[in-house]
């Protein structure tokens, strides 16, 4: 089995969507000293582009999540491998994700973070795949809504490959 990747969202389009996202967040979080919590590994590239564009003081921390299952479908077996170190009590928190698919990962992350009583908790995702949602979780902001396709690149992987692609591509398995 091998894979074929077809460009779906070009690098330039991603950059300009992140520019727009940063404008919104800079306005909303001006003087709020937010905490950005980056969900690894998938969100690393989106987060690095986004935070470079932020012009308000902020903190950044990371949560490492893994979910076990087949390569192209979410399993719901979400495990928090590494938690944040920063204290988020009474802070404005923004979760940075790569993609919201079934919503199970983000449901678990939000439950975990809510226990620490943040002042506010919002979800920003590069991609949103609403057609596959099975729990009631939606991003507050997303750069792109996509169809029910398995995508890779710009942080997203297939068997830990293709995270480095500078664009988002649709992956298909070919026999
Ligand atoms: P959820 O729990 O079903 O919302 O899945 C979220 C996680 O599954 C994401 O953080 C990704 O790591 C992974 N995922 C979901 N859809 C895709 C995809 O199209 N390409 C690559 N990874 C995906
Ligand atoms: Mg992920």
């Amino acid at each position: 089995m091998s894979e074929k990747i077809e460009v779906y969202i070009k690098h330039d389009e991603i950059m300009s969507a992140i520019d727009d996202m940063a404008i919104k967040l800079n306005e909303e979080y001006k003087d709020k000293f937010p905490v950005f919590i980056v969900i690894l590994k998938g969100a690393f590239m989106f987060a690095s582009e986004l935070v470079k564009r932020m012009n308000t003081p902020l903190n950044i921390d990371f949560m490492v999540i893994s979910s076990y299952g087949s390569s192209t479908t979410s399993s719901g077996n979400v495990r928090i491998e590494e938690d944040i170190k920063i204290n988020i009590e009474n802070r404005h928190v923004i979760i940075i994700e790569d993609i919201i698919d079934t919503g199970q990962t983000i449901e678990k992350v939000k439950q975990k973070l809510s226990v620490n009583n943040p002042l506010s908790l919002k979800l920003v995702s590069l991609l949103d795949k609403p057609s596959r949602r099975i729990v009631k979780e939606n991003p507050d902001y997303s750069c792109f809504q996509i169809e029910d396709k398995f995508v890779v690149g710009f942080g997203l992987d297939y068997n830990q490959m293709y995270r480095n692609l500078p664009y988002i591509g649709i992956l298909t398995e070919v026999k």
Side-chain angles (χ1 to χ4, degrees):
M1 199 98 108
S2 62
E3 302 100 51
K4 197 185 85 186
I5 297 167
E6 173 201 337
V7 178
Y8 184 47
I9 308 172
K10 295 194 196 83
H11 181 75
D12 287 359
E13 295 175 67
I14 301 172
M15 290 300 128
S16 99
I18 299 177
D19 287 344
D20 294 344
M21 181 68 75
I23 290 169
K24 258 188 285 199
L25 296 178
N26 274 319
E27 180 59 34
E28 181 168 341
Y29 289 93
K30 196 163 83 177
D31 306 323
K32 288 189 173 165
F33 190 32
V35 185
F36 280 57
I37 297 182
V38 182
I39 308 301
L40 297 179
K41 304 173 189 162
F44 82 97
M45 202 177 279
F46 173 44
S48 70
E49 292 297 338
L50 185 61
V51 295
K52 277 189 268 185
R53 291 163 171 78
M54 294 300 298
N55 55 26
T56 185
L58 55 85
N59 291 139
I60 304 173
D61 206 345
F62 302 91
M63 201 181 248
V64 183
I65 304 287
S66 62
S67 59
Y68 299 96
S70 82
S71 319
T72 56
T73 51
S74 311
S75 66
N77 297 321
V78 183
R79 207 167 80 187
I80 296 170
E81 303 275 358
E82 198 172 318
D83 206 350
I84 51 167
K85 308 278 187 298
I86 216 162
N87 179 8
I88 58 165
E89 188 169 0
N90 290 323
R91 299 288 305 272
H92 293 284
V93 173
I94 306 166
I95 306 167
I96 309 294
E97 248 295 28
D98 53 356
I99 186 166
I100 311 302
D101 184 21
T102 64
Q104 294 170 102
T105 304
I106 209 61
E107 182 180 52
K108 179 125 186 202
V109 168
K110 278 189 168 175
Q111 280 166 359
K112 183 88 171 48
L113 295 175
S114 303
V115 172
N116 300 311
N117 299 315
L119 209 50
S120 68
L121 184 58
K122 284 202 176 179
L123 171 61
V124 173
S125 188
L126 175 63
L127 305 174
D128 181 18
K129 217 194 270 184
S131 58
R132 285 180 31 90
R133 204 78 90 248
I134 60 173
V135 296
K136 257 181 88 190
E137 292 291 348
N138 288 304
D140 295 284
Y141 302 113
S142 67
C143 293
F144 302 96
Q145 274 205 355
I146 66 166
E147 314 156 66
D148 185 6
K149 305 278 187 201
F150 189 82
V151 293
V152 293
F154 216 82
L156 290 99
D157 77 304
Y158 168 78
N159 291 339
Q160 300 301 329
M161 291 291 295
Y162 309 118
R163 293 191 195 275
N164 59 307
L165 298 179
Y167 55 86
I168 307 279
I170 295 176
L171 180 139
T172 43
E173 290 166 316
V174 286
K175 297 225 164 67

